Amino acid sequence: MIAPETITQKARRLFPKAVDAWIAGELESFFPYRMPADLKVPTNHADAIRQVEMLRQSAKQTRGFGYRVVWQSRRSRTHGLNDFPTAIEIESMEDLARLSDRSEDWSRLQVAVNKLRDRQPTLERWLARRSNWKTLLDVSNSLDGLLDVIDYFQNNPRPDCFARELPLAVSTKLIESNRRRLAAWLDIVLPPSAIDPRYGYDEFEPRYGLRYARPHFLVRVLDEQLQHDLGLPFAEISLPAESLASLQVNHARVIIVENKINLLTLPKLTRTIALGGLGNAVTQLCDVSWLQTSDVHYWGDLDADGFAILDRLRQRLPKVQSLLMTAEVFESLSEIVTAGNGVSVRELHHLTMTETALYQRLCQSNQRLEQEHIPQTVVQKAFEHWGVSERTETNR
């Protein structure tokens, strides 16, 4: 026969389903809930008395809350005329919440849902998605502040200020720790014109028009004549993407390199400029208009992440060519290949067939060749046909 502890465990598993029904407005048809249960009375008379009494003492009829036992009076050949349990029922959400030790959660959730529906009715479709109420419960103590942020962005789309400058009585830490939650809500309440789709949820500030500390890209001009044409006092500088875009670069080749040391050890090359990509931030380079008309090459690690970055870069700069990211390079340096990050294969739609084949191979074998381990002689050879900067040759 089912024990009270088992009924409690079943109630805990039932609670999320009941909340889903409540969110959907179907709670009246959900209760009373008849719980599947083994109610067969043991043939041993002492065991039967003990187990039935345990069931009775923990029931709502005795405790005032929880599950209700449905009894039927009948005569049994083994136990004679007695009341036998025939069903276990939970009559209300309050009973279920107390039985599953979720009364506090149920109370907080009701307040949070009503507040969300009252202040932002357009978020009803977010709330209706399965289990999103759990997210709401997680932030229930800070919900007022989060909704203040949503209200402000709704009334002041793309505010063009830092998060700390928002005229709200909320901490920047609240915004920073809830970026993905806020992003899910902002995508619903804001018009498309207030959202920059080039940036994902993890790039909250540029996606919704906040200022932020822009990543700086290391710039190294590999040709002294090009440096002179650009009016740069130094061959190596660090600039944010918007400042980089102001450079008047014409008829130049560009190398985007992930590793800083590799960038700094590139040879002098005619009308060539090298940029440090900063991993996933490399996509911010796509706002640099002169890259659209330049001969752009990308050199990243020979691993799953390197090809994923190349794929994202090609979404915005379709003509980007990969550099030193071939199976030939990988196989020729097999002695310095190391274990990868265990990344699973996924669809990358902007790679060539040969790049895709190598990407899949690296994922399946969990291998990588980090660009900083490639010998300098191999790098030098890759640039032999590019042409050495004439001014550099003259000044030797």
Side-chain angles (χ1 to χ4, degrees):
M1 177 183 290
I2 192 169
E5 294 81 6
T6 304
I7 295 175
T8 298
Q9 292 170 4
K10 285 176 171 281
R12 288 171 179 159
R13 293 194 293 270
L14 181 64
F15 182 79
K17 298 178 182 178
V19 173
D20 288 339
W22 173 66
I23 295 290
E26 301 170 354
L27 203 58
E28 288 188 6
S29 61
F30 192 90
F31 291 107
Y33 177 84
R34 180 160 288 196
M35 181 179 289
D38 176 12
L39 294 172
K40 184 178 179 180
V41 177
T43 54
N44 180 279
H45 191 63
D47 288 343
I49 293 176
R50 179 177 58 80
Q51 292 183 27
V52 168
E53 187 60 21
M54 287 175 60
L55 198 64
R56 188 192 308 275
Q57 290 301 317
S58 297
K60 183 176 180 179
Q61 292 99 317
T62 302
R63 302 174 68 193
F65 68 92
Y67 65 86
R68 174 178 171 269
V69 181
V70 179
W71 301 95
Q72 182 183 53
S73 181
R74 59 184 171 85
R75 185 177 295 278
S76 163
R77 180 179 301 177
T78 305
H79 302 294
L81 181 63
N82 268 297
D83 289 338
F84 292 86
T86 60
I88 302 295
E89 290 184 346
I90 299 177
E91 296 180 314
S92 69
M93 189 65 183
E94 285 67 27
D95 284 329
L96 177 61
R98 291 193 66 179
L99 182 60
S100 57
D101 298 322
R102 299 295 295 272
S103 291
E104 183 180 348
D105 285 346
W106 172 233
S107 297
R108 288 195 296 119
L109 184 61
Q110 290 179 87
V111 173
V113 167
N114 291 333
K115 186 176 295 182
L116 188 76
R117 284 171 167 167
D118 179 58
R119 292 187 56 176
Q120 284 292 343
T122 54
L123 292 180
E124 181 67 35
R125 62 188 176 100
W126 173 86
L127 184 61
R129 294 174 193 155
R130 189 176 182 87
S131 297
N132 271 353
W133 60 266
K134 295 179 182 179
T135 298
L136 188 62
L137 187 60
D138 288 340
V139 300
S140 59
N141 292 332
S142 54
L143 184 58
D144 284 315
L146 294 175
L147 290 176
D148 287 344
V149 173
I150 298 298
D151 291 344
Y152 185 83
F153 273 85
Q154 197 170 23
N155 295 322
N156 305 273
R158 306 197 69 78
D160 191 29
C161 65
F162 287 92
R164 63 181 292 111
E165 295 177 309
L166 293 174
L168 300 172
V170 298
S171 68
T172 54
K173 185 177 180 180
L174 178 68
I175 297 175
E176 290 170 358
S177 59
N178 289 280
R179 289 180 178 182
R180 294 191 68 84
R181 296 184 180 100
L182 287 169
W185 294 352
L186 288 172
D187 273 11
I188 294 173
V189 305
L190 293 180
S193 59
I195 304 168
D196 190 336
R198 297 175 299 174
Y199 302 99
Y201 284 0
D202 291 329
E203 297 169 299
F204 185 87
E205 289 85 357
R207 184 175 178 85
Y208 302 107
L210 284 174
R211 293 183 183 178
Y212 61 104
R214 263 69 166 177
H216 278 55
F217 298 92
L218 180 59
V219 181
R220 181 168 175 239
V221 185
L222 304 180
D223 177 51
E224 292 184 19
Q225 182 59 51
L226 179 58
Q227 178 186 337
H228 179 269
D229 294 346
L230 296 175
L232 296 176
F234 308 106
E236 296 173 13
I237 55 175
S238 179
L239 295 172
E242 60 269 27
S243 298
L244 192 61
S246 67
L247 296 179
Q248 301 299 310
V249 179
N250 296 299
H251 309 296
R253 285 175 301 195
V254 180
I255 308 172
I256 299 173
V257 186
E258 284 306 310
N259 183 270
K260 182 177 179 181
I261 298 301
N262 287 65
L263 184 147
L264 294 175
T265 54
L266 285 172
K268 294 288 187 177
L269 298 167
T270 303
R271 294 204 66 80
T272 303
I273 186 170
L275 306 175
L278 294 181
N280 291 326
V282 72
T283 55
Q284 295 189 27
L285 286 172
C286 300
D287 293 327
V288 179
S289 59
W290 49 264
L291 287 176
Q292 302 290 341
T293 56
S294 299
D295 181 16
V296 182
H297 299 254
Y298 172 75
W299 179 21
D301 289 331
L302 265 170
D303 64 1
D305 292 334
F307 279 109
I309 294 172
L310 173 62
D311 181 78
R312 282 194 292 274
L313 189 57
R314 277 218 187 106
Q315 292 178 39
R316 309 285 299 283
L317 296 172
K319 295 182 181 180
V320 170
Q321 301 175 59
S322 59
L323 183 66
L324 288 167
M325 297 178 71
T326 65
E328 181 182 5
V329 171
F330 182 79
E331 290 164 2
S332 68
L333 299 171
S334 59
E335 70 277 4
I336 57 174
V337 168
T338 59
N341 295 325
V343 178
S344 300
V345 176
R346 57 189 179 90
E347 289 290 330
L348 299 181
H349 301 287
H350 300 86
L351 300 182
T352 65
M353 291 180 62
T354 54
E355 289 167 349
T356 298
L358 181 55
Y359 162 72
Q360 293 175 347
R361 172 184 169 185
L362 294 173
C363 289
Q364 291 163 359
S365 63
N366 190 30
Q367 292 179 302
R368 68 185 306 193
L369 173 57
E370 296 174 279
Q371 61 178 189
E372 61 263 37
H373 295 155
I374 296 178
Q376 188 66 12
T377 53
V378 175
V379 178
Q380 294 278 4
K381 186 175 181 180
F383 292 107
E384 283 180 350
H385 66 287
W386 282 46
V388 178
S389 170
E390 294 180 4
R391 178 173 291 225
T392 301
E393 291 282 71
T394 302
N395 290 342
R396 283 182 181 174

